[in-house]
Amino acid sequence: MSQTDATDAADGMGEQTVSTTAGETVEETRPEWTDYDAAGEAKLAVEDLDVHYGDDHALKGVSMDIPEESVTALIGPSGCGKSTFLRCLNRMNDRIRSARIDGTVELDDEDIYRDNVDLVELRKRVGMVFQSPNPFPKSIRDNISYGPRKHGELNTGLVARLLGRDDSEAEEELVATALQKAALWDEVKDRLDDNALGLSGGQQQRLCIARCLAVDPEVILMDEPASALDPIATSKIEDLIEELAKEYTVVVVTHSMQQAARISDQTAVFLTGGELVEYDDTEKIFENPESQRVEDYISGKFG
Amino acid sequence: MSRATESVLVREGRSGYEAVTASAVGLSGLAFAVGLVALLDIVAIDAPVAGVGLSAALGATLLVLGLAVVGFGAASRLDYVGTAPQPSAGVVAAGAFTIVWFTAAVLVAGAVGITGVVGLVVALAVGGVAFAVTAFPREDVGSTLPAGAMAVLGGLALATGLVGPGWEWELVAYNATLFGDTAVPVVAMTASLLTGWAAAKSYGGFGARGRNVGAYVLIYLVVLSILAVLVGLLAFVTIRGLPGLFNGFAVGGEGLVRWPFLTNGAGLLADTAGVFPALVGTIWLVVGAVVFAVPTGVGAAVFLSEYAEQGRFTQVVEVATNGLWSTPSIVFGLFGAAFLIPRFGNQKSLIAGMLTLGFMLLPLVLITSREAILAVPDEYRDASAALGVSKWETVRSVVLPAAIPGITTGVILGVGRIAGETAPILLTTGGGVLPTKTAAASVLGGFQLSASPPFVTNPELLQATSALPYQLYALITAGLSGNIEDPQQFAWGLALTLLLVVLAFYAVGIATRYYFRRKLHQ
Amino acid sequence: MIPVAREDYRASLEQLRADVESMAETVLTQLRQALSALADGDETVARAVIEGDDAVNDRYLDLEGDCVDLLALQQPVASDLRFVVASFKIITDLERVGDLTTNFARYATAEDPGALSGVDVREIGEVVREQLRAAVDAYVAGDAEACRAIAGRDDEVDALCQRASEAVVRELIAGEADAWDVERLLDDVSRVLLTVRDLERVGDHAVNVAARTLYMVEDDPGLVY
């Protein structure tokens, strides 16, 4: 094929297919499919993120900007690296010994992976909610005030109480605000001293969200927050996510495409091998994606 | 088609068979229990029961049971009842019966006088027959015939008085004699165990269900005997110790309660000798050991679980800890005598004992704390990390509180061990054998300030003192009676006191664990 | 490639496409019959067309139900979603064309059609039939270029219809009529004008089908006004 023919072919619209020697057609991914220009400021800017777990190349050169005060959904089949990506945003992957992380992640234009980053500060600003609700085996009140107390913002120890300088009122207010924001206040307001493990699954998850909100983050990362819950509890969490997006930047990993379609403003599609294939407005992804592989995935042809 | 292979969802029409087999199981259990009680000498084997001696009554029972069990097997084999037996009773049952019959044959041969190679050959033959009878016929015959036959034989022996009160067998080779007092209960227990199992299998209709019921009955009877031994031990000590413990006990008068056994020393001036110094000594030893071992052990466990890299170092520590835990207590005592005593005034002292016992407690606390900490789910640590909380704060506020029930279990177990240890106390703490009341260590009142470092001293800790196990040991070996009227009663009272002290520590530990478990909603 | 998942779903989508195509064939046949009845005045054919419309309406309701079922139960997305939505709209257009063919049949059975010379609706009918045929073919084949071509040809249809209407009015003005003929003339005139209008409508429906097909294939709603 001559040079001009190749160029002409490349200028065509829609998917490109490239024949391999095996006779299969493998789609080339085009960088413009992931070059999403978000409305508003980019809260988190990821550039060329590569993650290796030992020999396993879990994420391959992912770059994307996450806009503030909106919901970004990350979808893709199992093992495609979306949870790995999420955990890079608050450096939770540091806790895994075999993980090697290259690339930059900028929070408000500051790279969180450079030296001397205060992990405590980072995780105060970027909070996380996990797949299975994991409240501490303490009372509801203690669960919520745990973060602020450990950060020194609330003084409720014995000494403080003896000196008359304790922050019980501030604690009560903080707990009430966090629970209200997490839409759990009405259900637990008269049993704040009960052990958190006595709540139902959906309530526990909202408690974990309240606990995360109590430290006043800017970004909330959620790793499949509703996957362990029944449909009604799931709806409550989804409504909550929409509410939260008015104030916080929310990034949600979900394996339910319907959920991603319901709640997110923009959606990033990761496919097997840790590749980010397409990233765009949610309507675009679910009505007319550019990539044939993404189309096949969301139509259920594989995955 | 044989009714033995029918399977219906709702079983009817076998209730007669089931009732009879169930009563056979019950009767076997009763015979077992009676045998157990007789073995523990609570009842004599010639005690009259319905006009005959107990031994004879047991024999008759066994006879009935044996015949009944054989009958159950026959009824099933001849298809009078619907059962679902397997083609064979299995190798395990066959092996067990072989051993039982072989042993019985050896004993009988020996008692009758057939010894040597002939006896061995006879016994082996009997064993072989037992194996064949169990393994080769169908399960219903194979399970019941050997059991029933043994019960019949044993029952005959007991009922006819062949083996009974007054029977004895001199084992020249071992220079010992077996009495009827031992033989009768053993025969009764063995035979009733076998018939109980066989009857239970019959009740379950053989097959899988039968084996299920059989195993249940077997296990139940074995557990019963274990519990009986435990209760028997406690009852034994309690019964013998109560007179001593409450010697001179009175309610009312000047103080509300007078309990001289616990409040007096054993000196000449006391009207009723008591164990007060020893009691105080034991309590302080345990408290001191716990105060030393628990923070150290928990701290080490935290380091090993949370901070150290899992590798060579932690493995070595694990092996060392296990080794330390298995070390005999006298070795600890020697260590204390050689290492601690010179450092604390070159005499036996309370603190040397505390530390020695602390060293003994340390490995157990370390092991159980480590298990408890590792058992705390990682989700809590992840959640805490995601909130931006440092590692130490996480351990302090989330991991350790969640691990407390496990740690408490370790402490409870450890305290139980060290409270009763005699050897270390003997070598590091033991003072006078029959101390007076004033010899009791008064640790709380003994703190003094001093001008030179370490600025706070407590000479009481440096005194040799008595402890309950030590005093008991001394009383038994030294044999001194002083002014104690009844040394036997005193000694038993002492033993009961020790038991009660250990139980008291247990109660405190269990209450603590319960409290924390409730708090953690476990 | 990993084997196709959701087989029943894929089969349902294919079935929908086939059903829409078959409904379209029926409607096209109806149109052809109606136009020939209009030209020949054959009453038998005309009556058959009128009776055949019930079947078309029933088909329409069935297919509408199928589309709703697919949306509710299978939650199609992306091109599958556009396909279902497009098919949903196209069957509406086809059903309307079916109604229009009964109009033609009714005009054909009117008493004694007077010949209005100079007005030959046959040509318009041909063009319109070709448009609808092309639109259905484009839907089945997923041919975006054809859709644009159909939209482009609609101007020709409009022009033909315009000329025909003008011709009728001109003849009306030119022709002399006595009182006896006025009634008949008015009948004829209104019949012809209505026929022309209905033919233009068929053309518009054909363009709608093409427009929805283009949306289905390329997510381009440009032809749908």
Side-chain angles (χ1 to χ4, degrees), chain B residues 25 196-197 199-205 207-220:
Chain B
V25 173
W197 176 74
K201 281 190 86 172
S202 314
Y203 176 79
R209 216 168 64 87
R211 275 200 297 275
N212 198 29
V213 182
Y216 178 74
V217 165
L218 208 62
I219 291 170
Y220 195 72

Side-chain angles (χ1 to χ4, degrees), chain A residues 286-288 295 298-300, chain C residues 5-6 10 77-79 82 219:
Chain A
F286 285 96
E287 287 171 21
N288 188 20
E295 160 114 25
I298 63 177
S299 305
Chain C
R6 299 181 78 185
R10 301 272 140 231
V77 287
S79 55
R82 298 197 308 272
D219 194 28

Side-chain angles (χ1 to χ4, degrees), chain C residues 69-181:
Chain C
D69 285 347
L70 270 171
L71 290 172
L73 302 178
Q74 300 283 3
Q75 296 102 37
V77 287
S79 55
D80 294 337
L81 177 64
R82 298 197 308 272
F83 163 70
V84 175
V85 167
S87 306
F88 195 57
K89 300 292 282 185
I90 285 169
I91 55 178
T92 310
D93 283 307
L94 290 176
E95 193 266 337
R96 290 291 139 74
V97 172
D99 290 343
L100 292 170
T101 59
T102 60
N103 286 0
F104 299 143
R106 246 177 246 116
Y107 303 153
T109 58
E111 298 168 15
D112 265 343
L116 275 173
S117 61
V119 180
D120 195 353
V121 298
R122 252 179 287 210
E123 194 194 345
I124 308 175
E126 259 321 296
V127 175
V128 155
R129 210 165 62 77
E130 278 167 20
Q131 285 280 76
L132 189 58
R133 168 89 266 163
V136 171
D137 289 342
Y139 166 78
V140 171
D143 187 346
E145 281 309 309
C147 296
R148 295 198 173 87
I150 292 161
R153 206 180 170 199
D154 192 51
D155 292 339
E156 186 189 325
V157 172
D158 289 347
L160 285 173
C161 292
Q162 177 89 334
R163 268 210 301 278
S165 304
E166 283 172 8
V168 168
V169 173
R170 220 169 277 130
E171 254 201 51
L172 193 62
I173 295 172
E176 293 176 357
D178 48 32
W180 182 250
D181 283 332

Side-chain angles (χ1 to χ4, degrees), chain B residues 26-43:
Chain B
L27 192 59
S28 301
L30 185 63
F32 185 83
V34 170
L36 187 62
V37 158
L39 190 65
L40 295 176
D41 265 347
I42 298 175
V43 175

